[in-house]
């Protein structure tokens, strides 16, 4: 194993804690990015509250601490691209512009939810913004995204497919089948590995001989970038380059974004007691490498916003989130007919 | 009506019709650029329609099936080919967990994908080259499963499956490839309106089967006719969703039901056929206990002698009918 195939400092939470390099960004763009990341942060905290109170029963997997990846990747995408998620996809859905209300209504099992109240947190769907579906079978949307990429290539309009997965999914065989197919057919697919160094309770050191999943891209001759996933500017740059190449017929790209989830595998707790080798001091260090704080501090340092502005934005977002939750509570449950009516497509009139 | 067309040629006709008339259709799977993998049923399609629409793949059943599902969710109507159903088992996550469930669990659209799994038995090929796993897949809500028994259905159910908005598993059996029949020209067909067919009218017993087992039923009916026994033969055609109406109407008339299936016995199709009739009809409708002929609950053997014992045949169907008539 060579050093180049390991994450090194990228996996060290004591590193990469300074201000981001935001030179060249317009203030409005940065404000938009900050707002998007804060929205995901507060929206997921509200999900955590719903789980704590017992209102939300379906399994909810929170990605608090990982917001920069979805926001950064989405900045490289357009509405006709096709984005696929996994069990931890609130951020992917929201970063593309998925509705807050529909997400809460879905989590609470209501008819007006993102998936008509049929899927809950793990099954989000918002094709109108390009979010084409998320499922909890680990790795399952990866070949589906390859097929979406095949369709995009056949369409010939320069659209791309994106699949978000974690370091754990790289232990599934289908990842390798999918990388191979995308490479051999030169499909416009962006593979985004959110490497949060954990799969459920096990850290990557107990599961793989190297902590860098980009070695799988290398093995399949796919261009890759390995970046700090808690630096939204790094994500934007790397995703932008890989997506541009895919749109122009250069084939797939692989983005390994190193990050850390603050909460447990599922539910609102920090799960220090559940995680093997998941220690309070490591979590504390990663909390300091917070992608939201780093962007906010960088903007304040550059005099683009004041802390009072940011507080105002936070209050505004929290209010919007609370309204969405309240409206979702008032929404109707699906009719019992949905149970059988949604099994097959309605009969077509030919 | 045409000159007689074989079952294998009928499948080829369906592919040519679909690829020729529907630009959103493409075929993907292992062996599509090889003349021997799928026999005459896909011969030269890559030359006629191009290798961009008739795609040979790496040895990756799972990703290939997933990719077809992904394409089907994005405006295409792919047909995935698994030249041997045993290898399709590697794609089961995508078939069972994904294709069958996306519409229901995401409240969205169905993957309009067709998955062709070929049953290729006999010839001492053994346990991993011989399976007929239709009952497994027919168990899964959201996945339509069709099993053509005749050349016309080999063509028409492939067309209907491909044009259907739901995921459909199309299962053909190589033991049927040389069966031939005359047929009208192909056209669009709505799978959701298709029902079982009564292939032979009779009064003494109802024989219900799908795919190759229909051939056994028809041959047995011919033998029985010479012995003065009038057997009605029902071809199920579609095993999920399974229609019991045609079977029940027939059993009301004959009072006897024999289900024949090329799959295993336990939790199999034959048991489901019988359960459907027994649940719907009063005990007085039955003049004999319903029976089934299936594979024994054992993996397929290789030895010629064991194969002979393993697979149902016409003689066994005739013998079972005679026992039921004597009851």
């Amino acid at each position: 194993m060579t050093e180049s195939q390991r994450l090194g400092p990228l996996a060290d939470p004591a590193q990469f804690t300074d201000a981001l390099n935001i030179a060249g960004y317009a203030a409005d763009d940065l404000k938009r990015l900050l707002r998007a990341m804060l929205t995901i942060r507060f929206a997921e905290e509200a999900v955590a509250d719903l789980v704590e109170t017992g209102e939300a029963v379906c399994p909810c997997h929170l990605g608090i601490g990982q917001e920069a990846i979805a926001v950064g990747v989405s900045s490289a995408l357009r509405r006709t691209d096709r984005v696929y998620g996994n069990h931890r996809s609130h951020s992917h859905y929201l970063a593309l512009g998925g509705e807050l209300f529909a997400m809460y209504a879905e989590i609470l099992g209501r008819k007006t939810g993102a998936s008509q109240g049929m899927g809950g947190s793990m099954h989000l769907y918002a094709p109108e913004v390009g979010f084409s579906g998320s499922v909890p079978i680990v790795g399952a949307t990866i070949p589906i995204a390859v097929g979406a990429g095949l369709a995009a290539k056949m369409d010939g309009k320069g659209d791309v497919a994106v699949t978000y997965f974690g370091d754990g999914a790289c232990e599934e065989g289908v990842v390798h089948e999918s990388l191979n197919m995308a490479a051999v057919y030169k499909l416009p697919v962006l593979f985004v590995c959110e490497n949060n160094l954990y799969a459920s309770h096990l850290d990557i050191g107990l599961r793989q001989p190297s902590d860098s999943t980009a070695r799988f891209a290398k093995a399949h001759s796919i261009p890759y970038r390995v970046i700090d996933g808690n630096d939204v500017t790094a994500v934007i740059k790397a995703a932008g380059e890989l997506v541009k190449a895919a749109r122009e017929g250069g084939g797939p790209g692989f983005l390994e974004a190193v990050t850390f989830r603050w909460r447990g595998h599922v539910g609102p707790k920090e799960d220090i007691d559940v995680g093997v080798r998941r220690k309070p001091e490591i979590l504390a260090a990663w909390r300091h490498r917070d992608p939201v704080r780093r962007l906010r501090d960088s903007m304040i340092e550059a005099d683009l916003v004041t802390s009072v502005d940011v507080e105002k934005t936070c209050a505004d977002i929290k209010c919007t989130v609370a309204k969405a939750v309240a409206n979702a509570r008032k929404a109707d449950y699906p009719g019992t007919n949905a149970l059988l009516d949604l099994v097959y497509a309605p009969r077509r009139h030919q | 009506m045409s000159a007689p067309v074989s079952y294998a040629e009928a499948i080829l006709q369906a592919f040519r019709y679909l690829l020729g008339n529907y630009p959103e259709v493409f075929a993907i799977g292992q062996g599509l650029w090889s003349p021997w993998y799928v026999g005459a049923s896909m011969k030269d399609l890559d030359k006629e329609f191009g290798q961009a629409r008739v795609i040979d793949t790496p040895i990756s059943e799972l990703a290939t099936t997933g990719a077809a599902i992904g394409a089907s969710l994005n405006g295409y109507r792919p047909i995935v080919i698994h030249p041997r159903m045993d290898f399709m088992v590697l794609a089961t996550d995508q078939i069972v967990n994904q294709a069958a469930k996306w519409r229901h669990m995401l409240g969205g659209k169905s993957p309009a994908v067709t998955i062709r799994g070929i049953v290729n038995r006999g010839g001492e090929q053994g346990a991993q080259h011989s399976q007929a796993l239709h009952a497994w897949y027919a168990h899964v809500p959201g996945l339509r499963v069709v099993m053509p028994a005749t050349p016309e259905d080999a063509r028409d159910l492939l067309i209907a499956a491909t044009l259907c908005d739901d995921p459909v598993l199309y299962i053909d059996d190589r033991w049927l490839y040389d069966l031939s029949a005359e047929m009208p020209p192909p056209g669009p067909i709505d799978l959701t309106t298709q029902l079982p067919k009564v292939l032979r009218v009779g009064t003494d017993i109802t024989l219900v089967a799908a795919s190759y087992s229909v051939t056994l039923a028809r041959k047995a009916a011919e033998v029985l006719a010479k012995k003065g026994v009038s057997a009605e033969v029902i071809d199920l055609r579609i095993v999920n969703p399974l229609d019991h109406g045609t079977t029940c109407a027939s059993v009301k008339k004959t009072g006897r039901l024999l289900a024949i299936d090329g799959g295993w016995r336990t939790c199999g199709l034959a048991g489901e056929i019988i359960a459907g009739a027994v649940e719907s009809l009063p005990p007085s409708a039955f003049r004999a206990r319903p029976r089934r002929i299936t594979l024994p609950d054992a993996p397929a053997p290789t030895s010629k002698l064991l194969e002979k014992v393993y697979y149902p045949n016409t003689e066994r169907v005739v013998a079972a009918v005679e026992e039921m008539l004597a009851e």
Side-chain angles (χ1 to χ4, degrees):
Chain A
M1 194 63 58
T2 61
E3 276 308 303
S4 63
Q5 286 175 282
R6 302 194 72 90
L7 292 176
L10 281 173
D12 177 0
Q15 310 285 327
F16 301 98
T17 57
D18 298 339
L20 308 178
N21 178 12
I22 54 171
Y25 281 90
D28 281 351
D29 287 341
L30 290 168
K31 285 180 192 165
R32 191 177 43 76
L33 293 170
L34 183 64
R35 190 178 182 94
M37 286 166 63
L38 285 166
T39 299
I40 296 167
R41 173 71 53 92
F42 296 141
E44 289 218 291
E45 285 177 349
V47 174
D49 293 344
L50 289 170
V51 177
E52 293 270 23
T53 61
E55 263 190 283
V57 178
C58 67
C60 293
H61 303 76
L62 303 174
I64 294 172
Q66 306 186 174
E67 296 87 350
I69 301 169
V71 170
V73 170
S74 299
S75 74
L77 302 179
R78 58 195 196 199
R79 298 236 154 177
T80 47
D81 292 330
R82 307 97 197 256
V83 180
Y84 293 87
N86 53 57
H87 55 288
R88 198 180 310 285
S89 270
H90 300 145
S91 64
H92 311 145
Y93 166 96
L94 291 172
L96 285 168
E99 267 185 41
L100 273 171
F101 162 78
M103 186 179 91
Y104 292 115
E106 189 55 45
I107 289 170
L108 296 175
R110 310 306 165 110
K111 188 169 73 179
T112 38
S115 301
Q116 295 189 38
M118 300 298 285
S121 161
M122 299 190 294
H123 300 291
L124 298 175
Y125 185 57
E128 68 282 1
V129 296
F131 192 70
S132 303
S134 61
V135 307
I137 299 285
V138 179
T141 62
I142 300 173
I144 291 174
V146 168
L150 177 62
K153 187 177 181 181
M154 287 175 163
D155 291 345
K157 293 175 186 162
D159 292 328
V160 301
V162 177
T163 172
Y164 288 103
F165 53 94
D167 45 305
C170 294
E171 291 145 30
E172 299 280 8
V174 75
V175 170
H176 309 286
E177 291 188 16
S178 301
L179 290 170
N180 182 57
M181 274 187 91
V184 83
Y185 297 142
K186 270 195 141 186
L187 302 180
V189 182
L190 178 64
F191 296 89
V192 182
C193 179
E194 295 177 290
N195 185 349
N196 63 21
L197 309 170
Y198 271 82
S200 179
H201 59 292
L202 280 190
D203 78 51
I204 195 164
L206 296 171
R207 299 181 286 111
Q208 297 184 28
S210 161
D211 59 2
S212 177
T213 61
R215 69 191 193 278
F216 300 120
K218 191 178 172 189
H220 292 287
S221 306
I222 292 176
Y224 61 89
R225 304 277 188 284
V226 184
I227 55 153
D228 173 16
N230 286 11
D231 175 349
V232 72
T233 63
V235 180
I236 290 170
K237 182 170 183 291
E241 288 165 2
L242 294 169
V243 166
K244 182 170 184 284
R247 286 203 204 290
E248 291 169 356
F254 188 105
L255 177 64
E256 176 169 26
V258 183
T259 187
F260 201 81
R261 64 170 150 76
W262 296 4
R263 307 292 178 111
H265 164 64
V266 62
K269 307 262 189 288
E270 290 181 344
D271 277 5
I272 299 297
D273 52 332
V274 175
V276 176
R277 306 207 306 211
R278 191 175 157 93
K279 296 194 182 85
E281 57 270 26
I282 294 175
L283 178 57
W286 276 103
R287 278 176 169 277
H288 184 62
R289 196 169 141 178
D290 179 358
V292 177
R293 178 194 64 75
R294 287 163 68 198
L295 177 60
R296 184 196 59 202
D297 289 359
S298 310
M299 290 168 68
I300 292 172
E301 219 169 273
D303 284 331
L304 297 174
V305 288
T306 64
S307 55
V308 175
D309 294 336
V310 176
E311 284 315 309
K312 246 176 91 180
T313 303
C314 290
D316 181 41
I317 294 169
K318 283 178 180 170
C319 179
T320 307
V321 166
K323 271 190 204 152
V325 172
N327 286 336
R329 282 194 183 106
K330 285 185 264 176
D332 290 334
Y333 288 101
T336 51
N337 60 314
L339 199 59
L340 292 178
D341 285 355
L342 288 170
V343 178
Y344 298 102
R347 188 169 290 185
R348 269 183 305 168
H349 300 284
Q350 289 185 332
Chain B
M1 289 291 170
S2 63
V5 176
S6 76
Y7 187 98
E9 289 162 355
I11 296 173
L12 181 63
Q13 272 195 13
F15 276 112
R16 297 187 66 212
Y17 173 78
L18 289 162
L19 288 162
N21 290 284
Y22 297 89
E24 67 271 33
V25 171
F26 68 89
I28 184 167
Q30 286 171 44
L32 300 199
W33 298 343
S34 157
W36 60 269
Y37 257 88
V38 286
S41 72
M42 298 191 73
K43 194 174 173 350
D44 292 338
L45 287 173
D46 58 323
K47 295 183 183 73
E48 187 172 353
F49 296 101
Q51 295 191 336
R53 290 181 71 205
V54 180
I55 306 170
D56 209 330
T57 68
I59 313 299
S60 303
E61 289 82 3
L62 183 54
T64 300
T65 306
I69 292 167
S72 77
L73 289 164
N74 287 281
Y76 289 83
R77 292 185 180 275
I79 307 168
V80 193
I81 289 86
H82 294 285
R84 211 180 270 282
M85 199 181 209
D86 311 67
F87 294 76
M88 192 176 83
V89 171
L90 289 160
T92 300
D93 167 56
Q94 287 294 327
I95 298 171
V96 173
N97 283 331
Q98 311 311 327
K101 294 186 175 56
W102 271 56
R103 177 179 170 73
H104 199 264
M105 76 185 174
L106 292 172
K109 61 180 175 185
S110 315
V113 65
T114 298
I115 301 159
R116 178 184 175 202
I118 305 178
V119 177
N120 187 350
R121 300 179 285 175
E124 306 197 354
Q125 298 181 91
Q128 296 183 342
H129 271 45
S130 307
Q131 293 173 89
L133 297 169
H134 49 278
W136 269 20
Y137 295 100
H139 184 63
V140 180
L143 184 65
R144 297 181 184 273
V145 181
V146 306
M147 296 182 79
T150 64
E152 191 165 347
D153 265 357
R155 182 192 70 188
D156 292 352
L157 289 181
L158 183 55
I159 293 171
T162 307
L163 300 183
C164 180
D165 288 336
D166 293 310
V168 184
L169 179 55
Y170 171 98
I171 301 171
D172 54 301
D173 188 322
R174 289 187 78 135
W175 277 355
L176 289 165
Y177 278 19
D178 293 332
L179 194 67
S180 66
E182 294 179 353
M183 57 182 73
I189 296 159
D190 179 359
L191 183 64
T192 65
T193 61
Q194 301 302 306
L195 289 168
K197 276 185 182 163
V198 178
L199 296 187
R200 183 185 179 109
V201 177
T203 52
D204 297 327
I205 186 159
T206 303
L207 307 179
V208 182
S211 188
Y212 178 76
S213 300
V214 172
T215 295
L216 294 181
R218 291 171 100 170
K219 283 185 180 164
E222 279 167 30
V223 175
L224 289 162
K226 286 182 192 142
K227 299 183 176 203
V229 177
S230 166
E232 184 143 302
V233 175
I234 294 175
D235 172 8
L236 288 173
R237 308 173 71 218
I238 298 166
V239 297
N240 194 40
L242 183 58
D243 175 86
H244 293 286
T246 309
T247 298
C248 290
S250 174
V251 174
K252 262 191 208 166
K253 178 175 69 174
T254 65
R256 297 182 185 90
L257 171 61
L258 175 62
I260 308 157
D261 183 35
W264 290 303
R265 192 172 190 83
T266 304
C267 294
L269 176 62
E272 194 59 38
I273 294 165
I274 292 169
V278 169
E279 276 183 332
S280 304
L281 299 171
S284 60
F286 292 93
R287 295 155 71 188
R289 286 169 296 170
R291 284 185 61 167
R292 56 184 152 161
I293 289 177
T294 66
L295 297 179
D297 283 338
T302 49
S303 165
K304 220 187 300 294
L305 184 120
L306 293 177
E307 272 193 338
K308 225 174 156 184
V309 179
Y310 188 69
Y311 292 111
N313 58 28
T314 311
E315 292 73 38
R316 236 176 285 160
V317 177
V318 170
V321 170
E322 288 178 330
E323 282 171 28
M324 290 172 73
L325 288 165
E327 204 174 290

